Amino acid sequence: MVPLSYYLVLSGVLFACGVTGFLIKRNIITIFMSIELMLNGVNLSFVAFAAHWHALSGQIFVFFVMVVAAAEAAVGLAIIIAVYRTRETLNVDQVNLLKL
Amino acid sequence: MSLAFQASQALPRGTDYLRILPELVLSIFGMIIMVLDPVVDQRRNQKALGTLALIGSLAAIASTLWQARAPGLAFWNMVQVDTFSVFFHFLITTITAVVILTSYEYMEVQQIRVGEYYALILFGAVGMCLMSSAVELVLIFIALEISSISTYILAGFRRRAAISSEASIKYFLLGSFATAFFLYGVALMFGATGSTSIPTIEQHLRSGSIPVLAYVAIALMFVGLGFKVAAAPFHVWTPDVYEGAPAPIVGFMSTAPKAAVFAVLLRIMFQIHAPGRLGLIWVAAALSMTLGNIGALVQQNVKRLLAYSSIAHAGYLLVAFAALPQNGIPSAMFYTASYAAMNIGAFAVVSHFGGAGERYVTLEDYSGLGRRSPVLAAALTLFLLSLIGIPITAGFFAKFYVFSAALQANLVGLVIIGVINSAVAAYYYLRVIVVVYMHDPRDESVLPAVPLELGAALAITALTTIYLGLLPGRVLDYASRSAGDLLH
């Protein structure tokens, strides 16, 4: 059997990849995909912990997370389209009317 | 284990539904509005849909008061109705009603004719109400998302304005980023204790040595929630989003979701007895107060100024989280209530004065407002004085209780930082008041009259600000009882 720590390390790596992608990528769609990667990292640790504690609830949470992620994607893509319509670009460096 | 299937209790009972009644009422009204929106005449019935939403939020206030008489757990220990949840339900549903009142004129002036605006406010309120009564981390996550997704859309509601969709995308990306951190914290807490139910986690952490994983989990959850309440160092999105989003919505999202997230933070920090609480809170509170106030000093746009002020106020509020539970909880609750009153009022003035396309939002535009519209100027002055923390306004007692709670916990350093910051903050709030009263108007044109609904909203917020500043006793007593409920 694969030990718990392997799964946790993998989930941590996935999450870290997502964070890195969020911070260094310039295209809004790619940034959005990085967030999905972070959520999938979390899902993996939920499943791993569910197996560790023999608690079925951990597996069920993953479904909740997937549903919420889907809802978020629907809204997110709509907002991205709204931005593209007014700006004709999806590069975050050019979406800069508001000074950061 | 919260989701365990137990045959005898597999079906929900009547009391279960009573304990989520405000959420049910809000959802039903939201759905009715969504269904009616395409079939009614857009031009004439915008106001009718708004009124329907207003009735919905008033019904939610009534059902909150009804629900308060039957406290207890519902849905297999996932939802808990007690004085604590009732306090936040009442606060959030009232904020919803007042924000709907401030929106009527705004929608008219900006020529936004879509009914789902009101439906989204109600759906957002559903999530926020649920956050304050949920005692299950996964349910809290779902409620947090219901509230966030609604506010992402609302932030971009001036679709034709480029800055509004930009505000929306920034809010969306950073908000989802923060949610992922919160969720990772939940997963690790599940790993550390084998449960996501707050009472079970508390027992587990209390019974044995605290696993390292629990510290990491609390820190990650704090990062996620810190983003949502705009606490430094997770505050960078705030000024941009507040500048671009519609003004009544800024009033909404700077108060209602914040109140709900602070309710969750109170549960996590005090009910779970979060390990490592003091260090996290200390740093975040000190940074938020300082960065918020320094940022506000140089702002020329009133919406941005209020955004930085909102960061600073999140900092003052966080000071209460570092105090002892028995006086930290009531002072934090009192602060959320008084901050809601004064901030919604301030944004109501900003949204009325902004005009079509929100053209008049810089400090110079406000010059001579005292002569052009004495009523608006007086209301704005009251709210700004309250934000400073001048006596006989709500802001004074809010700050007083937070700082005295912190002093009782021997947090002298944090209180000194807070008091210095309050003094700095007085400068930029007073600067607005000086511009309003002392400068000559740049534009002598007559301002549109304040419509009835907006006048009602201003009256409610102004009276609440003064009431809490003169007679804070009743609200504070209720908050203290809630603190007792929260700590058993």
Side-chain angles (χ1 to χ4, degrees):
Chain A
M1 200 181 130
V2 186
L4 175 69
S5 55
Y6 285 28
Y7 289 109
L8 293 186
V9 169
L10 179 59
S11 107
V13 168
L14 275 177
F15 193 83
C17 283
V19 173
T20 318
F22 183 92
L23 295 174
I24 64 171
K25 288 292 174 184
R26 301 285 72 169
N27 184 294
I28 294 179
I29 303 265
T30 322
I31 292 175
F32 183 52
M33 283 159 67
S34 307
I35 295 172
E36 297 292 313
L37 194 59
M38 290 164 73
L39 290 179
N40 283 326
V42 176
N43 281 345
L44 184 63
S45 57
F46 260 128
V47 175
F49 283 129
H52 172 71
W53 288 100
H54 303 290
L56 206 57
S57 48
Q59 311 257 5
I60 296 168
F61 296 153
V62 174
F63 286 106
F64 282 111
V65 176
M66 280 152 84
V67 170
V68 166
E72 212 172 54
V75 169
L77 291 174
I79 297 175
I80 290 172
I81 289 172
V83 170
Y84 187 77
R85 274 199 189 141
T86 52
R87 218 62 65 81
E88 306 253 303
T89 175
L90 283 181
N91 187 321
V92 274
D93 292 329
Q94 284 159 23
V95 182
N96 57 359
L97 284 181
L98 300 160
K99 52 190 171 196
L100 202 65
Chain B
M1 196 169 53
S2 55
L3 287 178
F5 182 84
Q6 283 155 306
S8 58
Q9 312 179 331
L11 296 169
R13 284 161 300 156
T15 48
D16 285 349
Y17 291 106
L18 173 65
R19 285 173 192 146
I20 57 161
L21 193 62
E23 287 88 349
L24 286 178
V25 169
L26 289 168
S27 320
I28 290 170
F29 272 90
M31 284 187 267
I32 293 175
I33 293 172
M34 292 293 269
V35 172
L36 282 183
D37 179 43
V39 295
V40 297
D41 175 44
Q42 296 257 304
R43 192 165 308 218
R44 251 187 305 141
N45 289 314
Q46 185 72 46
K47 226 172 173 175
L49 293 176
T51 310
L52 201 58
L54 184 64
I55 295 170
S57 51
L58 293 177
I61 295 176
S63 45
T64 302
L65 296 176
W66 191 40
Q67 175 194 54
R69 294 187 304 182
L73 289 158
F75 288 105
W76 306 279
N77 305 337
M78 290 181 101
V79 170
Q80 184 173 22
V81 174
D82 50 17
T83 45
F84 179 78
S85 80
V86 168
F87 180 93
F88 281 102
H89 271 65
F90 185 77
L91 180 62
I92 290 160
T93 44
T94 313
I95 292 173
T96 311
V98 174
V99 167
I100 290 169
L101 282 175
T102 62
S103 301
Y104 279 128
E105 188 211 15
Y106 185 83
M107 302 293 278
E108 196 75 38
V109 171
Q110 312 295 340
Q111 302 195 316
I112 304 172
R113 291 202 186 93
V114 266
E116 66 255 28
Y117 174 88
Y118 295 109
L120 283 169
I121 292 184
L122 295 188
F123 290 144
V126 172
M128 294 159 206
C129 285
L130 207 52
M131 274 159 87
S132 66
S133 56
V135 284
E136 223 286 316
L137 290 175
V138 174
L139 182 61
I140 290 177
F141 163 71
I142 292 169
L144 181 69
E145 280 297 273
I146 296 175
S147 120
S148 305
I149 289 177
S150 311
T151 35
Y152 298 150
I153 309 173
L154 286 169
F157 231 87
R158 291 193 294 138
R159 252 178 315 182
R160 269 159 291 178
I163 60 165
S164 190
S165 52
E166 184 174 327
S168 185
I169 192 80
K170 281 188 177 163
Y171 194 27
F172 168 73
L173 289 176
L174 288 166
S176 321
F177 186 61
T179 315
F181 276 94
F182 177 74
L183 194 66
Y184 203 27
V186 174
L188 294 186
M189 194 49 109
F190 176 64
T193 62
S195 170
T196 50
S197 164
I198 287 178
T200 319
I201 293 172
E202 193 246 319
Q203 277 172 9
H204 197 284
L205 290 184
R206 203 183 270 226
S207 59
S209 64
I210 296 167
V212 184
L213 217 48
Y215 283 96
V216 184
I218 292 288
L220 285 171
M221 284 195 259
F222 183 73
V223 170
L225 296 173
F227 254 107
K228 301 280 175 184
V229 296
F234 322 112
H235 65 288
V236 281
W237 58 273
T238 323
D240 287 3
V241 173
Y242 284 18
E243 185 185 348
I249 290 307
V250 183
F252 184 59
M253 67 191 198
S254 63
T255 54
K258 264 195 188 181
V261 172
F262 275 122
V264 170
L265 265 178
L266 283 172
R267 277 197 198 280
I268 290 177
M269 292 297 169
F270 289 123
Q271 207 174 358
I272 296 187
H273 299 284
R277 161 176 69 101
L278 219 53
L280 286 174
I281 296 288
W282 212 102
V283 174
L287 273 179
S288 306
M289 291 189 286
T290 314
L291 294 180
N293 283 320
I294 291 176
L297 287 175
V298 294
Q299 295 307 320
Q300 289 304 318
N301 182 312
V302 175
K303 278 171 100 183
R304 280 186 91 85
L305 187 143
L306 287 173
Y308 278 104
S309 118
S310 158
I311 297 167
H313 279 276
Y316 300 133
L317 233 164
L318 280 175
V319 172
F321 285 77
L324 302 169
Q326 60 270 27
N327 42 30
I329 298 172
S331 58
M333 290 166 76
F334 186 84
Y335 205 114
T336 45
S338 25
Y339 180 68
M342 55 210 189
N343 212 45
I344 293 182
F347 274 106
V349 174
V350 171
S351 75
H352 174 72
F353 186 66
E358 292 198 8
R359 265 172 305 162
Y360 306 111
V361 285
T362 65
L363 207 49
E364 281 169 43
D365 294 327
Y366 279 75
S367 52
L369 181 69
R371 231 175 299 161
R372 292 173 67 199
S373 173
V375 181
L376 271 186
L380 184 64
T381 308
L382 172 70
F383 300 131
L384 291 176
L385 288 177
S386 182
L387 286 167
I388 299 175
I390 301 288
I392 84 145
T393 58
F396 171 72
F397 278 116
K399 277 211 183 98
F400 175 77
Y401 290 133
V402 164
F403 288 151
S404 63
L407 274 183
Q408 279 169 34
N410 268 326
L411 296 162
V412 183
L414 208 51
V415 173
I416 291 175
I417 296 175
V419 171
I420 293 173
N421 267 296
S422 305
V424 173
Y427 165 75
Y428 61 83
Y429 293 123
L430 287 174
R431 192 165 60 122
V432 179
I433 298 176
V434 165
V435 168
V436 164
Y437 282 108
M438 311 287 189
H439 288 197
D440 287 329
R442 280 202 316 176
D443 176 4
E444 290 284 357
S445 65
V446 182
L447 282 171
V450 178
L452 183 67
E453 300 88 12
L454 190 76
L458 283 176
I460 293 170
T461 47
L463 287 176
T464 312
T465 307
I466 293 173
Y467 173 75
L468 291 177
L470 288 175
L471 304 163
R474 279 189 72 180
V475 177
L476 205 68
D477 279 351
Y478 195 85
S480 306
R481 269 174 43 214
S482 312
D485 270 11
L486 195 70
L487 304 164
H488 309 302

